[in-house]
Amino acid sequence: MSEFRVEEVDAVPSPAKARVEDARVTFERKRDYLEGFLSQKPAELGEGEPGGAVYEAVIEALKEIYDPEIPVNIYDLGLIYGVEVADGGHVAVSMTLTTPHCPVAESMPAEVELRVGSVPGVSVADVNLVWDPPWDPQKMSDEAKLELGML
């Protein structure tokens, strides 16, 4: 069995206090790598680029076209695969339909061409109907899924 020794003391010395002078170390500030980036102005967007006036107007026009069987516009439904705006206002829209046997297979591309062609700044509108990749419900926006009770 081990024995414990007890030592009695009158007082314990206070620990040394930290002084600001003791902790002062000089560091050289490194160059802020974001300085040049944050001072840059945003690049001007072309009319046909995403965010450009013509491109955004085309997207808004597409959002006004509704599938007659589904109460959701064709853009949020995921039927639009791509919009390209070239110089001179030539717009090419790649789109699909929910199925190849869709009842609006003949009229929908013509309506898209008519609506896109009526956008200010668009001189020619071409609609390319594609089937690859096939449309599936995962291509729908969250807003469309919510509207259809799928979210």
Side-chain angles (χ1 to χ4, degrees):
M1 205 176 200
S2 62
E3 193 173 304
F4 290 103
R5 286 185 35 193
V6 177
E7 179 181 346
E8 291 187 25
V9 294
D10 292 331
V12 176
S14 298
K17 294 187 179 183
R19 301 274 181 227
V20 175
E21 296 86 34
D22 298 340
R24 191 171 296 171
V25 177
T26 58
F27 289 104
E28 182 180 328
R29 181 181 165 137
K30 293 182 181 173
R31 180 181 156 109
D32 189 355
Y33 68 94
L34 289 177
E35 185 177 317
F37 173 77
L38 295 175
S39 65
Q40 289 179 354
K41 300 287 183 221
E44 290 293 322
L45 293 173
E47 291 287 314
E49 295 179 41
V54 173
Y55 181 90
E56 293 302 324
V58 168
I59 298 300
E60 287 304 313
L62 292 170
K63 287 183 176 183
E64 293 176 0
I65 304 170
Y66 284 79
D67 186 302
E69 298 175 326
I70 304 170
V72 176
N73 68 67
I74 63 171
Y75 188 83
D76 287 333
L77 197 54
L79 298 180
I80 304 300
Y81 284 176
V83 174
E84 295 178 25
V85 181
D87 293 336
H90 184 218
V91 177
V93 177
S94 297
M95 68 172 292
T96 192
L97 299 171
T98 52
T99 67
H101 304 294
C102 182
V104 294
E106 290 183 26
S107 63
M108 183 67 73
E111 183 177 358
V112 169
E113 185 175 341
L114 182 67
R115 294 275 187 103
V116 170
S118 68
V119 170
V122 174
S123 59
V124 178
D126 289 329
V127 177
N128 302 314
L129 193 59
V130 297
W131 302 107
D132 188 37
W135 179 85
D136 67 75
Q138 295 304 317
K139 296 189 184 315
M140 294 171 32
S141 70
D142 287 343
E143 292 83 10
K145 290 178 185 175
L146 187 63
E147 179 73 27
L148 296 175
M150 297 173 67
L151 197 68

